[in-house]
Structure formats: structure tokens, C-alpha cells
Amino acid sequence: MTVTLFENTDFKGGSQSFARNKASLKDTKVGNNPSSIKITGDEPVLLFKKEDWKGGVLYVKGPKNVSDLGSKKAGGKSGFKNGITSLRRTPFDLDLNVTIVKNSKGEFPGDWNSSSTAEKAVLTIVNHVNKFYEDCGALLKLSVSHCTFRTDDNKFVVKRGGADYPGSWKRSGEIDVVFVHDFKKVGTQAKSKPPGFGKSITVAAMADFVGGTSAARTTEEMARSLAHELGHYCGIHHPSANKAKKNIMFKEGNGDSIFDRVISADQIEEMHTTLSKNIFRKGDR
């Protein structure tokens, strides 16, 4: 795969091909004002308005030729012509601070029966999400930075509207993810809000059904919930699914696997736009 940026529209003027990430285009043949791009292969590329992968984002997935990066009609996006100063080809890391809640009886969420079982399940869930992102070309990769077990009956089964967690449960610069047993509401399986609200992502290990029955959720089901809530965390919401039931942001889960879902280029672009803002960054991301 090659990514070639051109100084002028219609693939004219100075050009340069990039095989790696470029935090600044100032020392290249195209400078910080490329106007068109050619991509061979199927890999995605992120173009940023600011150096060090900050500011507005343009997501382009190949193979594709964009004759004018500032024109929607020519395959670009209004406002990006001559305004690209960095380029990214590899995924950004998102660090997760995971909490697994037990109750005072020593019970674990869902059908997990030990610390090792729970930790293994969490890693499997994260790997599922990473595979989903990779298959969709989202250029995001999750890593579990911390995994902590806490005992709290009130958080083992959380209330209808979600849960607020103590500051001691959270870590600056990481996405706080809490695995609980279930919600006190039939049909709710996960909750989150954008980071500006100071909320954590909550994922339930059990699914409750009408009539009072319940069942342990599979790692693929919980992975779908985690990816959905990460979407909210990164600025995309239910309407972005455009009523497509297979979209990861479709409101209803219906117990399906993450691998039954898709994510659109516009949604990926919006997630990266949110993450490119300084408030959400930690080092590389």
C-alpha cells in the first residue's frame, strides 16, 4: 500500500509517498498544504489539520483517489484543502482502566467464578473489540492498563440510570470501564456518557429479560456493548446509525455479537475528531 500526497489538486505539483506516520508535513515536498491524495490498497489513513495528529480529522480509506481534499464533490471534505499538517496510518492506543465489581458474598459478575476467569474474559472482550476495529479500519486499539477488583453491593447491581463511581476508581488519561453483574432495568446492558461528564463506561455481564429470567452474556455480546459505549464516549450517538440495525451504534442490542455489527467511515472520523482534542489525549493518544 502507498499513500501519496500532492501539493495541488488533481494530483499535480510536488508530491511525496508515505509508508509511515508523519507527525508534521512541514519538512516534506508537499509542506503543510497538500490538496489531493492517492491511496493504493485497502488500508485507511487519517489526515489532521494540526501537527502531532491534533485538530480536525479527515478519514480516507483506500483504494481511493481524492482529487480535491477540500471539495466534497471531488471526494474530499469542506475545510480541509491546504489545511493538512500530519498523517497517521497506524492505530492509536486507548488505555483502559478496568474495574470488576464483586459483591460482599464474593460473587463475580455474570458467570465468572474467579479472578483469573474474570481477567481472562476481559482480555477476550478487549481482543474482540480490537478485531472489530481492525476489520473496519477504525485505527483504534484498546489496551488494558489496569484491572482492579472491588467489592461493592451497590455497584454489583447498578441502578436504572447507570452508576456514579468514586474518584478513587478512576485514572486520569485512561478510559474507565466497569464490569458489573447487571442493571435494575430489563433490556439495559451498558451505559456511558462523553468524558466531559466525568462518567465511566459500565458493562453488565448478565442480561435480564421480561418475566424475571436472566442469562450470562457471552464475551462477544459484552464486546458489542463495550464498542457501542466507547462510541458514545468518543462522541457518536444512536442517530449516527441511520436506523441501520447492524450498525454498532444502533440503540438496541438484541443479544447479538460484535461481529454482527459494522461502523461507518463518518462514525470513525467523528471518534477520531473527539480523540484528537487535547482534553482526551495522553501522550500518543
Side-chain angles (χ1 to χ4, degrees), residues 54-65:
K54 298 179 182 178
V57 182
L58 178 61
Y59 176 83
V60 186
K61 193 171 187 297
K64 191 170 185 179
N65 295 335

Side-chain angles (χ1 to χ4, degrees), residues 73-123:
K73 187 176 181 180
K77 183 176 180 180
S78 179
F80 275 84
K81 182 179 179 180
N82 297 329
I84 295 167
T85 58
S86 56
L87 171 152
R88 183 86 181 195
R89 295 186 57 180
T90 60
F92 287 98
D93 288 325
L94 300 180
D95 295 330
L96 303 184
N97 171 41
V98 174
T99 295
I100 299 171
V101 183
K102 301 190 297 180
N103 64 16
S104 57
K105 297 179 181 179
E107 296 172 329
F108 292 84
D111 61 356
W112 301 340
N113 55 23
S114 68
S115 297
S116 59
T117 301
E119 289 175 336
K120 183 177 179 180
V122 168
L123 289 177

Side-chain angles (χ1 to χ4, degrees), residues 3-24:
V3 177
T4 305
L5 289 175
F6 296 83
E7 186 176 5
N8 300 325
T9 59
D10 298 318
F11 322 112
K12 297 178 181 178
S15 67
Q16 187 164 343
S17 296
F18 298 88
R20 300 180 179 179
N21 300 329
K22 195 68 177 174
S24 175

Side-chain angles (χ1 to χ4, degrees), residues 177-180 183 189-191 201-205 217 222 225-226:
V177 180
V178 182
F179 286 89
V180 301
F183 284 84
Q189 297 171 351
K191 283 281 186 181
I201 292 172
T202 303
V203 178
R217 304 177 71 204
M222 285 185 274
S225 291
L226 178 56

Side-chain angles (χ1 to χ4, degrees), residues 2-284:
T2 59
V3 177
T4 305
L5 289 175
F6 296 83
E7 186 176 5
N8 300 325
T9 59
D10 298 318
F11 322 112
K12 297 178 181 178
S15 67
Q16 187 164 343
S17 296
F18 298 88
R20 300 180 179 179
N21 300 329
K22 195 68 177 174
S24 175
L25 297 175
K26 286 186 177 180
D27 60 347
T28 68
K29 294 179 182 178
V30 293
N32 64 344
N33 60 346
S35 294
S36 53
I37 183 173
K38 284 188 175 183
I39 302 174
T40 62
D42 295 323
E43 296 179 38
V45 180
L46 291 164
L47 304 173
F48 295 82
K49 281 191 173 183
K50 296 182 180 181
E51 294 180 0
D52 300 317
W53 312 299
K54 298 179 182 178
V57 182
L58 178 61
Y59 176 83
V60 186
K61 193 171 187 297
K64 191 170 185 179
N65 295 335
V66 181
S67 61
D68 186 347
L69 292 170
S71 167
K72 291 183 178 180
K73 187 176 181 180
K77 183 176 180 180
S78 179
F80 275 84
K81 182 179 179 180
N82 297 329
I84 295 167
T85 58
S86 56
L87 171 152
R88 183 86 181 195
R89 295 186 57 180
T90 60
F92 287 98
D93 288 325
L94 300 180
D95 295 330
L96 303 184
N97 171 41
V98 174
T99 295
I100 299 171
V101 183
K102 301 190 297 180
N103 64 16
S104 57
K105 297 179 181 179
E107 296 172 329
F108 292 84
D111 61 356
W112 301 340
N113 55 23
S114 68
S115 297
S116 59
T117 301
E119 289 175 336
K120 183 177 179 180
V122 168
L123 289 177
T124 300
I125 291 165
V126 169
N127 287 337
H128 287 333
V129 177
N130 284 335
K131 182 65 166 60
F132 170 76
Y133 284 155
E134 181 182 1
D135 290 347
C136 296
L139 289 178
L140 295 169
K141 184 178 180 181
L142 307 183
S143 298
V144 177
S145 293
H146 301 89
C147 186
T148 306
F149 290 87
R150 304 181 190 275
T151 300
D152 191 318
D153 287 333
N154 293 327
K155 307 301 184 186
F156 186 70
V157 178
V158 299
K159 296 180 180 178
R160 176 188 181 109
D164 291 316
Y165 301 104
S168 60
W169 290 30
K170 303 176 183 180
R171 288 182 179 268
S172 177
E174 299 181 4
I175 300 176
D176 302 303
V177 180
V178 182
F179 286 89
V180 301
H181 187 65
D182 64 356
F183 284 84
K184 291 180 180 177
K185 178 186 177 184
V186 172
T188 300
Q189 297 171 351
K191 283 281 186 181
S192 75
K193 292 183 179 180
F197 289 91
K199 299 292 184 180
S200 304
I201 292 172
T202 303
V203 178
M206 293 289 291
D208 295 326
F209 306 107
V210 175
T213 60
S214 62
R217 304 177 71 204
T218 68
T219 55
E220 290 187 9
E221 290 171 341
M222 285 185 274
R224 187 206 71 240
S225 291
L226 178 56
H228 178 100
E229 301 308 326
L230 280 167
H232 286 314
Y233 192 96
C234 295
I236 55 176
H237 303 286
H238 297 149
S240 69
N242 292 320
K243 299 181 180 180
K245 293 184 178 181
K246 291 299 183 181
N247 189 278
I248 194 66
M249 296 311 297
F250 188 72
K251 187 174 182 179
E252 296 177 6
N254 298 323
D256 54 348
S257 160
I258 188 171
F259 300 115
D260 296 326
R261 295 300 181 100
V262 297
I263 187 170
S264 71
D266 286 345
Q267 289 171 321
I268 294 170
E269 186 172 276
E270 185 62 33
M271 290 179 75
H272 280 286
T273 297
T274 298
L275 289 166
S276 71
K277 299 175 183 177
N278 290 334
I279 191 172
F280 302 118
R281 294 172 66 90
K282 178 190 176 185
D284 193 30

